[in-house]
Amino acid sequence: MKKVLIFGALAIASLFSAQEINLKGRAFISGSIGYSSDDNQNNSEYENSIKTFNIMPASGYFITDDVAIGLGMGYKYSKTNSTTITYYLGSQPIIMNYEYNLNSFFINPFVRKYWHLGDKLFLFGQFDVNYSTGTSKTSFTGNEPIKVNVNSLAFNVRPGIDYFINKNWSLEATIGNFGYSNERSDGKKTNEKLNLGVSLSNVNIGVKYFFK
C-alpha cells in the first residue's frame, strides 16, 4: 500500500512541467494538523487504545536550496484508554477501566534536508527536538482522578513529502516517526520510549506559504 502511494505521487508529479523552484534564501510559514490512532486487543479480556491530536504553526528559512531550518510551537492532546476483565463473578465479568488524558503545549526546532523528485515534488527528511509541558489526568475505576504536571523531551527523525501547488504555496505530509522520547511526571521519570516505524496511522498534514 505504501509503495503504491509513493509511486502514485511520482506518477502525478511527472505529468506537470513547471519552472524549477529555487528555494535558497526563501522564508516560509506553515501550519500542520496531526492525528494518530493505535488500537489493539491482545485477547478477549483486554483492550487498549491510544489517540493523539496535535496542531502546530511554524516558520522556517532555506539556508541552501535543499536545507531548511525552522521553529514550531503548538498544542497536543492524547488519550489512552484500557479495559481489562479482572475476574468473573459467576458468569458476569468485572471490568477495570483505565484512562489517561494529557493536554500540553510544545516547542519544536527543526532542520530539513530536501531531495528533488520532480518539478514540483520533493522528498525530505526532518530532524527535530520537541519539548512539551502540560497536565495529565489519570483515572481508574473506583478511584479519584490523579492530576500531575508532565514534561517531555523527544528527538525525532521524520520522512515526508512536499508538493508545490505554485511558487508560493505547497502541501506537505510527514509519515511516521523514528525517535526517542523521555517523559517526567512531577519531576520523576515515568515513560521512556523508542519509536521505529513508518506508519499511515501517524500522519501530519500541513500547508506552507513562501515569501519572496
Side-chain angles (χ1 to χ4, degrees):
M1 180 63 179
K2 296 171 188 174
K3 291 182 179 179
V4 172
L5 291 173
I6 293 172
F7 286 121
L10 291 173
I12 292 172
S14 66
L15 298 176
F16 294 90
S17 59
Q19 192 175 9
E20 184 179 354
I21 298 173
N22 183 17
L23 297 175
K24 183 179 179 179
R26 300 189 70 182
F28 63 85
I29 55 174
S30 67
S32 68
I33 295 176
Y35 175 79
S36 66
S37 178
D38 184 10
D39 298 296
N40 75 74
Q41 183 174 341
N42 294 333
N43 52 58
S44 61
E45 298 186 348
Y46 174 76
E47 292 182 3
N48 182 68
S49 70
I50 302 173
K51 301 184 186 301
T52 303
F53 168 81
N54 67 76
I55 182 169
M56 181 178 72
S59 63
Y61 179 80
F62 276 86
I63 57 176
T64 70
D65 193 46
D66 57 3
V67 176
I69 57 174
L71 177 67
M73 301 178 70
Y75 166 78
K76 179 179 180 180
Y77 170 78
S78 65
K79 179 179 179 178
T80 301
N81 193 290
S82 298
T83 301
T84 307
I85 297 177
T86 54
Y87 63 93
Y88 287 86
L89 188 60
S91 60
Q92 181 66 34
I94 304 302
I95 297 173
M96 173 70 74
N97 290 314
Y98 163 82
E99 186 174 300
Y100 175 83
N101 293 276
L102 173 66
N103 288 278
S104 62
F105 296 90
F106 62 87
I107 185 169
N108 182 244
F110 63 86
V111 59
R112 284 182 177 182
K113 166 66 177 177
Y114 278 75
W115 292 271
H116 294 236
L117 297 181
D119 292 329
K120 295 185 177 184
L121 188 65
F122 295 77
L123 176 69
F124 66 81
Q126 174 176 303
F127 172 76
D128 63 74
V129 179
N130 190 297
Y131 174 76
S132 69
T133 181
T135 303
S136 71
K137 182 174 74 172
T138 305
S139 303
F140 292 93
T141 299
N143 293 278
E144 289 293 323
I146 301 172
K147 294 182 179 181
V148 297
N149 296 318
V150 178
N151 299 300
S152 70
L153 179 65
F155 302 90
N156 306 294
V157 176
R158 310 175 197 268
I161 294 176
D162 206 341
Y163 176 74
F164 279 75
I165 302 170
N166 55 44
K167 68 177 184 179
N168 293 113
W169 290 95
S170 80
L171 297 175
E172 67 174 39
T174 59
I175 304 172
N177 178 26
F178 300 82
Y180 165 82
S181 62
N182 185 320
E183 185 177 287
R184 292 179 176 272
S185 297
D186 285 342
K188 298 179 180 180
K189 183 187 291 186
T190 55
N191 190 22
E192 194 171 28
K193 187 176 181 181
L194 188 64
N195 296 311
L196 295 171
V198 175
S199 171
L200 293 178
S201 67
N202 187 0
V203 176
N204 287 279
I205 299 174
V207 60
K208 291 203 302 296
Y209 176 76
F210 288 80
F211 297 94
K212 187 178 175 182

